[in-house]
Amino acid sequence: MSKQEFGLVQQEERRKCWVSVLSCLLLACLYVGSLYVWCDSLPRDHPSRIKRRCASVLLVSGVAPAVVKTWMHLNDITVNVSVWELIGIRWEGFVPAALFPLLLSMVFYLGPLVHSAVENPDGFSAEVKSAFDVESWLLCVRDAVWLRNQVVAPLTEELVFRGAMLPMLLPCSGATAAVFTAPLFFGVAHLHHIIEQRRLAKDSMKVILLTAGIQFLYTTVFGAFTSFIFLRTGHLVGPVLCHSFCNSQGLPDIASALLHPQRSALLSFYLVGALLFLVLLFPLTDPHFYTSIPVCSLAPLPPSVCYFS
C-alpha cells in the first residue's frame, strides 16, 4: 500500500469515527431534548409530567434502532445479524443473561441489604414478602414514579445509551475504550437535572453543581459496568434489570453504616459484597453462557478481545 493510499484509508477511518460519535451525540440530544418538549411548570414527580416524559423517551427509544441502521448504511457496514440482535434484543442465552448480571448486582449490594435488614427487620421482611404478592405489584404498576424509575428509565436508557451506542462506538474505538466512552454520554445526559433544580430554586448554585457532579460520577461508573455487561453477554436484558435494581436501592449509605452501633459487622458485609463482586464479575459474565455475541461482530479485533477474554 502506497503512502497516499494509506492516508486515504486513515482519512476514511476518521470519517467513520466521526459519524459514530455524532450519531451517539444525536441520540443523547434526542433523549434529553425529548424531556423538554412539553412546556409546563409541573414538579418532576407529578403524574402528568411523568406520563408525558415517558411517552417522549419511549418514542426516542423506538427511533434508536433506525439510527443504528442508518449509521451502518453511512459507514458501509454489513454483518450477518439483524439490528435487533446488535442492540441486544435476542432469545439465545436470555435466561442466564437476565439472572447472572442481576445476581452480580445483588452481591455488590450485600452490605446495604444486610444494613436494611438490621435497621428495620419487619420492613425488610415485608419487602421480601411483597416481591411475591400480586397486589403489591399491581400497586406498583399504578404508581407513575415507580414505573418511571423501575421500568421506563432503565429500559429506555439502556436501549439508547448501551444497546444503540456501543455497536456504533465499538468498530471505531474497540471494546475497552467503548466501555468507558459510552457512559460519558450517559453521565452528561443526567446533567440536565441542573435545569430542574435551578428552576425549583431550593438550593444554591454551588450545592446544585456539587450534586450534579456526584451524579455524573456515579452514573458514569454505573454506565461502564452495564456497558461491560452488554459486551460480555450480548444482551440488553441484564443491563436493564441491573439498572432497575440499582434504582430501587440507591447509593450504598456507607456514612450511615459508619455511625451504626454494629458498624464493624455491617462494614464487613459491605467489604465482602464488594470483594465477591470483583471475584464473580468475569465468571458470571462468561460469554460461553450466552452463545455468540452479535455486537462483537463489529469489533476491529477478534471477538475474544471484544468481550475481554
Side-chain angles (χ1 to χ4, degrees):
M1 183 183 293
S2 68
K3 188 175 181 180
Q4 183 178 8
E5 288 174 329
F6 181 73
L8 289 174
V9 169
Q10 283 196 315
Q11 185 178 356
E12 177 63 12
E13 289 301 315
R14 284 195 294 269
R15 182 196 69 80
K16 289 182 178 181
C17 285
W18 274 111
V19 171
S20 298
V21 172
L22 291 175
S23 297
C24 291
L25 185 62
L26 171 65
L27 273 177
C29 290
L30 285 175
Y31 192 94
V32 176
S34 72
L35 300 174
Y36 292 94
V37 296
W38 308 102
C39 298
D40 60 52
S41 56
L42 296 172
R44 180 174 180 267
D45 290 338
H46 192 284
S48 296
R49 192 172 208 200
I50 290 174
K51 290 174 185 176
R52 291 181 190 134
R53 286 186 156 190
C54 285
S56 297
V57 295
L58 285 168
L59 180 61
V60 173
S61 299
V63 171
V67 173
V68 176
K69 191 73 175 177
T70 303
W71 163 82
M72 292 173 68
H73 175 72
L74 291 173
N75 282 356
D76 194 27
I77 291 175
T78 305
V79 289
N80 295 324
V81 293
S82 68
V83 68
W84 299 106
E85 291 174 295
L86 284 179
I87 64 175
I89 300 175
R90 62 196 187 95
W91 287 114
E92 283 185 310
F94 181 87
V95 174
L99 294 180
F100 292 164
L102 180 58
L103 176 61
L104 195 58
S105 297
M106 294 175 74
V107 165
F108 180 78
Y109 273 88
L110 177 63
L113 290 171
V114 171
H115 192 170
S116 176
V118 170
E119 280 286 298
N120 187 7
D122 293 334
F124 184 79
S125 60
E127 284 186 19
V128 173
K129 289 177 182 177
S130 68
F132 302 95
D133 183 53
V134 176
E135 289 186 9
S136 297
W137 282 104
L138 290 174
L139 286 173
C140 289
V141 170
R142 296 191 190 104
D143 183 356
V145 174
W146 185 91
L147 279 174
R148 177 194 63 196
N149 294 345
Q150 308 307 134
V151 181
V152 177
L155 177 62
T156 58
E157 288 179 0
E158 294 305 320
L159 176 57
V160 171
F161 292 95
R162 249 66 71 186
M165 288 190 184
L166 282 169
M168 293 192 290
L169 291 171
L170 191 59
C172 178
S173 65
T176 303
V179 161
F180 292 103
T181 303
L184 294 176
F185 292 99
F186 183 58
V188 169
H190 281 78
L191 295 180
H192 75 91
H193 291 302
I194 294 174
I195 300 171
E196 304 227 6
Q197 294 298 320
R198 191 63 180 161
R199 182 174 62 84
L200 294 173
K202 288 183 178 180
D203 298 306
S204 66
M205 194 61 188
K206 183 179 180 180
V207 172
I208 291 172
L209 290 175
L210 179 61
T211 303
I214 293 171
Q215 188 177 38
F216 169 78
L217 180 62
Y218 75 72
T219 52
T220 301
V221 171
F222 175 78
F225 166 61
T226 53
S227 295
F228 176 84
I229 294 295
F230 180 81
L231 289 182
R232 289 277 287 179
T233 67
H235 278 273
L236 195 64
V237 64
V240 170
L241 292 178
C242 291
H243 195 147
S244 183
F245 175 77
C246 292
N247 276 1
S248 71
Q249 297 300 311
L251 284 175
D253 190 3
I254 299 176
S256 177
L258 287 169
L259 298 174
H260 198 277
Q262 302 177 44
R263 60 179 174 273
S264 297
L266 285 178
L267 289 174
S268 66
F269 280 107
Y270 275 83
L271 180 60
V272 168
L275 291 175
L276 279 175
F277 171 82
L278 293 174
V279 168
L280 296 173
L281 181 60
F282 277 86
L284 287 183
T285 59
D286 191 319
H288 292 100
F289 289 125
Y290 314 105
T291 65
S292 60
I293 312 294
V295 68
C296 286
S297 62
L298 297 169
L301 296 167
S304 60
V305 178
C306 168
Y307 41 70
F308 314 95
S309 292

